[in-house]
Amino acid sequence: MSTLSPLGLPRPVEVRLGADGEPRSLRRWRRRGAPGSLLAVRRVEEVWRVAEEWWREAPLARTYYRVLVEGGGVLTLFHDDAQPPGGGWYEQRG
């Protein structure tokens, strides 16, 4: 019997912010928990906010950033707005 695992779950990332509060660099974590290399954010392409389930005890509030990183990759990051600015960052994978 095989085990199913969900696809596209967000993965925690370490994000360093600029003075404007936007991502300037990020570090992904490897499969075994080892830190990956630091990637510079070349440009923030888009920013949007999602606030849902406001009626629940813990409503969902996130700020999303589509960023261009060094090497030309485009990533979607989000910050869990219930967390302090330096923590609660994730990469949203498709």
Side-chain angles (χ1 to χ4, degrees):
M1 179 187 265
S2 66
T3 302
L4 297 177
S5 60
L7 298 174
L9 288 178
R11 293 179 62 186
V13 292
E14 176 187 327
V15 173
R16 295 183 184 169
L17 304 174
D20 58 2
E22 292 190 343
R24 291 295 167 244
S25 64
L26 66 104
R27 185 184 316 272
R28 293 168 157 165
W29 299 97
R30 298 195 174 121
R31 294 207 185 273
R32 291 186 169 78
S37 58
L38 198 62
L39 292 171
V41 172
R42 297 290 180 212
R43 182 173 60 242
V44 174
E45 302 263 317
E46 186 177 2
V47 179
W48 68 99
R49 186 161 158 58
V50 173
E52 298 178 336
E53 302 181 14
W54 52 267
W55 62 90
R56 294 188 184 264
E57 187 175 322
L60 175 76
R62 296 177 175 171
T63 303
Y64 284 83
Y65 297 84
R66 183 165 295 122
V67 298
L68 176 68
V69 295
E70 64 184 331
V74 177
L75 303 175
T76 300
L77 307 175
F78 73 84
H79 179 256
D80 177 351
D81 294 341
Q83 302 294 317
W89 283 92
Y90 299 87
E91 177 185 359
Q92 181 67 55
R93 303 186 64 178

